[in-house]
């Protein structure tokens, strides 16, 4: 071949290599999963050099972590990949990878078994012994990121010729592999940076929400548990073999999005007053104490009035009739009975009509306060609270409690979520919507409610029913919780397929889903 032909061939080869390197660069920069990225780097580096094996080490402070191992001939021979055992090397010049990481030099070794004794590094023959393998030629290059920092080492083992004989690595490939290792380093750095930011965001969300939930024992830990139940349901749906749910598949990304929506669904409760979040009964303990003191005062007045009457009788008739004392005791007993009645109806739940009438009469009774002004036994606000027919919140308190969804939407709509998390506001917005249109805030119906919002609605109700938020409050037994959920399905509010799957697979119990931790 003439000189011109040789240089033309070199030019063609170089162009081909640049084209390949470019394609690899694009592939590397678009992989977002660190594990897959490392595998891709090893595969591409092997392909470039026709190497049988490749190992990747990633630097972690004072050590090198063994991250990936590929050995094609072993895989072919054993029909499977050798089990990957993670280990780390000290960041010293004694190992080949350590030497490269410390010095930044490229090592191109013809035979790692004949390294002269005066050289600082040694090959570790353990892998060869364990796998009945012979490592011979080796090319180890540092992986430098864009700031020039070495983040790891790429180690290629046994370059093969076209008849699969081991040959030394071509020195001309060194600069290309070095360049590929650099591209890999930048890609690894980027993926780690994205993971760090994601973790930072996750932690920020978790800790802020835990703090918001902890404002009231009623809600402490609620959002984290809702997120957990949501993730369990999504995994379980993915495992459903048939039926309507069998058609639905959530990707890992979609599950992550649902988990975050679970964490964030009640963030709007930050705008609901603690006195409302805290409410257990119709009146708070403080309000009951105020009423008790008022009634003590009323009794004192009654006693004082009867003492006056006694004096009047003594003065006029020189004796006190027995009826006066009977009358006094009766009056005091009536006041005690009124207070006991108030305490008895001060519980959440249904107020009977006869109790409501009696409550009205009691509330309207009057006494004179210390200034001699006429006052009713209960003020209008106290009466309004006690006369709640269902639950324990007055209409205005109920409205404030329900407004948490609007506030959740208001907050989440302002967060610039990434594309993968963009549906969080929509899923969270639907967590109190019922299929029959009786939910809030929008009264959405049927198909207007996403599967994710349906899942969240079930998780939310289940957690509210099952949690023990006070030392003296017992959680409902599971049979009762199950009945309530099924009744909500019958009433047309909850998705029956998901509720039945939740019950059938006992998703309320601890499961083996790995993603369950938090
Ligand atoms: Fe809620
Ligand atoms: Fe909730």
């Amino acid at each position: 071949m003439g000189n011109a032909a040789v240089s033309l061939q070199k030019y063609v080869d170089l162009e081909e290599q640049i084209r390949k390197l470019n394609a690899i660069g694009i592939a590397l920069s678009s992989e977002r999963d660190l594990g897959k990225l490392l595998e891709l780097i090893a595969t591409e580096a092997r392909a470039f050099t026709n190497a049988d094996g490749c190992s990747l080490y990633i630097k972690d402070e004072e050590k090198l972590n063994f991250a990936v191992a590929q050995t094609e001939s072993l895989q072919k021979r054993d029909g499977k990949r050798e089990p990957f055992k993670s280990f780390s090397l000290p960041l010293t010049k004694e190992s080949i990878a350590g030497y490269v990481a410390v010095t930044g030099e490229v090592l191109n070794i013809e035979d790692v078994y004949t390294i002269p004794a005066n050289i600082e590094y040694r090959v570790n023959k353990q892998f060869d012994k364990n796998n009945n393998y012979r490592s011979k030629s080796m090319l180890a290059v540092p992986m430098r990121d864009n700031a020039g920092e070495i983040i790891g080492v790429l180690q290629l083992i046994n370059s093969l010729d076209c008849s699969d004989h081991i040959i030394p690595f071509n020195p001309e490939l060194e600069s290309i592999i070095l360049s590929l290792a650099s591209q890999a380093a930048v890609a690894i750095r980027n993926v780690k940076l994205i993971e760090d930011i994601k973790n930072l965001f996750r932690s920020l969300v978790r800790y802020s929400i835990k703090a918001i939930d902890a404002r009231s024992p009623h809600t402490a830990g609620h959002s984290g548990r809702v997120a957990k139940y949501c993730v369990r349901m999504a995994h379980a749906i993915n495992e459903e073999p048939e039926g309507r749910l069998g058609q639905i598949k959530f990707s890992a990304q979609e599950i992550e999005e649902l988990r975050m929506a679970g964490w964030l669904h009640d963030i709007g409760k930050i705008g609901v007053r603690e006195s409302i979040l805290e409410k257990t009964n119709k009146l708070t303990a403080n309000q009951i104490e105020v009423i008790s003191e008022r009634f003590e005062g009323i009794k004192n007045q009654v006693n004082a009035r009867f003492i006056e009457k006694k004096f009047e009788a003594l003065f006029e008739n020189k004796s006190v009739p027995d009826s006066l004392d009977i009358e006094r005791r009766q009056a005091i007993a009536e006041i005690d009975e009124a207070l006991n009645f108030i305490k008895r109806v001060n519980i959440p739940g249904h107020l009977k009509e006869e109790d409501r009438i009696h409550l009205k009469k009691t509330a309207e009774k009057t006494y004179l306060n210390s200034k001699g002004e006429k006052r009713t036994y209960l003020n209008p606000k106290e009466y309004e609270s006690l006369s709640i027919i269902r639950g324990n919140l007055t209409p205005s308190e109920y409205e404030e409690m329900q407004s948490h969804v609007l506030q959740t939407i208001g907050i989440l709509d302002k967060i610039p979520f990434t594309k993968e998390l963009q549906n969080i506001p929509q899923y969270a917005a639907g967590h109190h919507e019922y299929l029959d249109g009786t939910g809030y805030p929008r009264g959405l119906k049927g198909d207007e409610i996403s599967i994710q919002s349906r899942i969240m609605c079930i998780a939310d109700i289940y957690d509210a029913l099952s949690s023990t938020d006070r030392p003296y409050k017992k959680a409902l037994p599971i049979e009762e919780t199950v009945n309530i959920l099924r009744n909500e399905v019958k009433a047309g509010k909850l998705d029956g397929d998901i509720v039945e799957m939740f019950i059938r697979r006992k998703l309320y119990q601890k499961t083996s889903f790995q993603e369950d931790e938090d």
Side-chain angles (χ1 to χ4, degrees):
M1 218 189 293
N3 275 350
V6 170
S7 34
L8 180 64
Q9 186 54 43
K10 278 203 160 181
Y11 177 77
V12 171
D13 287 350
L14 187 65
E15 201 191 1
E16 171 66 7
Q17 282 171 344
I18 291 172
R19 198 190 54 73
K20 266 200 209 164
L21 208 55
N22 200 22
I24 295 169
I26 293 168
L28 294 184
S29 59
S30 52
E31 181 55 63
R32 286 280 169 270
D33 181 303
L34 186 60
K36 286 185 190 161
L37 176 64
L38 297 176
E39 287 288 345
L40 184 65
I41 294 165
T43 308
E44 294 296 351
R46 280 199 306 110
F48 229 103
T49 51
N50 201 29
D52 187 39
C54 179
S55 303
L56 273 181
Y57 296 86
I58 302 296
K59 200 165 127 183
D60 178 18
E61 290 176 3
E62 286 314 297
K63 53 187 196 306
L64 273 181
N65 289 332
F66 183 52
V68 163
Q70 292 182 356
T71 318
E72 199 176 328
S73 59
L74 287 183
Q75 202 175 337
K76 275 187 194 152
R77 187 191 72 191
D78 302 341
K80 59 176 170 31
R81 277 181 73 163
E82 64 270 26
F84 178 75
K85 285 190 208 84
S86 175
F87 65 88
S88 45
L89 292 174
L91 201 55
T92 61
K93 292 183 187 171
E94 281 154 36
S95 64
I96 293 175
Y99 184 90
V100 172
V102 172
T103 62
E105 284 175 28
V106 171
L107 292 182
N108 189 348
I109 307 164
E110 201 173 320
D111 186 349
V112 288
Y113 278 32
T114 58
I115 294 170
N118 61 341
I119 299 284
E120 287 169 279
Y121 49 82
R122 289 275 150 275
V123 70
N124 180 351
K125 293 182 182 165
Q126 200 55 45
F127 174 84
D128 286 7
K129 274 188 200 148
N130 291 349
N131 294 284
N132 191 19
Y133 188 73
R134 169 68 161 98
S135 298
K136 197 171 181 193
S137 62
M138 189 175 284
L139 177 61
V141 299
M143 298 167 78
R144 279 185 207 275
D145 68 9
N146 38 338
E149 197 189 322
I150 296 172
I151 67 138
V153 173
L154 176 73
Q155 196 171 279
L156 289 155
I157 304 140
N158 289 352
S159 181
L160 303 172
D161 65 12
C162 46
S163 20
D164 277 357
H165 290 124
I166 300 170
I167 52 166
F169 282 90
N170 181 350
E172 281 184 17
L173 285 175
E174 286 173 21
S175 62
I176 290 198
I177 291 302
L178 205 53
S179 158
L180 189 144
S182 257
Q183 289 192 359
V186 174
I188 291 170
R189 179 71 91 208
N190 287 343
V191 167
K192 282 190 165 174
L193 190 66
I194 293 170
E195 275 185 7
D196 284 349
I197 294 170
K198 277 185 180 169
N199 284 335
L200 181 71
F201 178 67
R202 275 189 215 119
S203 312
L204 191 66
V205 165
R206 278 164 171 71
Y207 287 105
S208 327
I209 297 296
K210 276 183 185 169
I212 295 172
D213 281 357
R215 289 171 69 218
S216 154
H218 286 310
T219 53
H222 168 71
S223 303
R225 290 191 300 269
V226 166
K228 187 162 71 181
Y229 294 130
C230 285
V231 170
R232 283 185 193 175
M233 281 188 259
H235 278 290
I237 288 174
N238 277 355
E239 289 174 6
E240 283 293 280
E242 57 204 10
R244 187 185 129 239
L245 298 182
Q247 313 290 313
I248 303 169
K249 287 280 169 276
F250 294 99
S251 67
Q253 198 51 63
E254 286 166 337
I255 291 179
E256 188 52 29
E257 188 179 31
L258 178 62
R259 186 204 309 273
M260 293 305 284
W263 270 99
L264 288 162
H265 78 285
D266 272 342
I267 191 173
K269 280 196 178 159
I270 197 168
V272 177
R273 283 175 297 156
E274 264 166 49
S275 58
I276 295 177
L277 293 177
E278 276 279 306
K279 256 185 117 175
T280 308
N281 295 320
K282 294 176 179 177
L283 291 175
T284 63
N286 274 349
Q287 285 174 303
I288 287 290
E289 206 174 309
V290 168
I291 294 171
S292 299
E293 273 171 25
R294 183 185 309 148
F295 276 53
E296 249 345 275
I298 298 173
K299 285 201 291 188
N300 288 342
Q301 275 182 13
V302 169
N303 281 328
R305 208 167 59 236
F306 275 97
I307 289 170
E308 251 173 56
K309 278 188 181 177
K310 271 185 190 177
F311 275 118
E312 275 170 24
L314 270 175
F315 190 70
E316 283 171 18
N317 311 319
K318 306 275 187 252
S319 69
V320 180
D322 288 347
S323 61
L324 211 56
D325 223 32
I326 297 169
E327 217 180 300
R328 184 189 66 84
R329 266 184 266 142
Q330 218 166 9
I332 295 290
E334 269 175 36
I335 298 164
D336 282 337
E337 194 277 326
L339 182 63
N340 286 338
F341 172 73
I342 287 168
K343 287 180 180 168
R344 186 165 63 76
V345 292
N346 183 35
I347 47 162
H350 183 70
L351 181 73
K352 284 190 248 157
E353 179 59 10
E354 61 202 77
D355 284 343
R356 199 193 57 77
I357 294 167
H358 186 57
L359 180 69
K360 193 162 193 298
K361 276 189 196 155
T362 308
E364 283 170 350
K365 283 186 181 169
T366 57
Y367 69 99
L368 296 178
N369 69 8
S370 54
K371 292 178 192 155
E373 298 157 337
K374 208 176 186 183
R375 287 282 181 270
T376 49
Y377 272 22
L378 294 176
N379 67 36
K381 248 188 119 54
E382 291 161 348
Y383 173 69
E384 191 201 5
S385 293
L386 285 170
S387 60
I388 298 164
I389 305 289
R390 267 192 74 170
N392 67 339
L393 297 178
T394 64
S396 65
E397 287 170 339
Y398 199 61
E399 204 176 294
E400 183 172 338
M401 188 62 122
Q402 287 198 334
S403 75
H404 81 273
V405 188
L406 293 174
Q407 304 204 41
T408 291
I409 300 169
I411 293 168
L412 296 185
D413 271 346
K414 288 188 189 71
I415 297 179
F417 285 107
T418 53
K419 203 163 162 270
E420 295 116 329
L421 301 176
Q422 65 182 348
N423 296 309
I424 288 177
Q426 184 228 317
Y427 298 159
H431 81 271
H432 285 296
E433 298 287 1
Y434 288 143
L435 296 177
D436 63 357
T438 57
Y440 61 93
R442 293 172 63 197
L444 297 179
K445 266 187 179 169
D447 288 346
E448 292 168 336
I449 307 169
S450 67
I451 190 91
Q452 286 85 348
S453 292
R454 294 173 189 211
I455 290 174
M456 212 179 293
C457 185
I458 297 166
D460 193 70
I461 294 177
Y462 175 75
D463 188 62
L465 293 172
S466 65
S467 54
T468 50
D469 50 345
R470 306 268 162 165
Y472 51 81
K473 191 191 139 198
K474 279 193 188 149
L476 278 185
I478 186 65
E479 301 75 34
E480 227 170 294
T481 315
V482 160
N483 278 342
I484 296 174
L485 288 176
R486 285 194 169 130
N487 284 339
E488 295 293 82
V489 173
K490 270 188 216 142
K493 295 181 193 300
L494 299 180
D495 188 312
D497 291 338
I498 307 177
V499 167
E500 282 311 315
M501 180 195 74
F502 185 75
I503 298 168
R504 172 169 39 88
R505 299 190 50 154
K506 297 192 169 63
L507 296 184
Y508 41 82
Q509 288 181 340
K510 274 210 167 305
T511 68
S512 58
F513 292 128
Q514 275 180 4
E515 292 78 357
D516 228 1
E517 308 91 59
D518 61 11

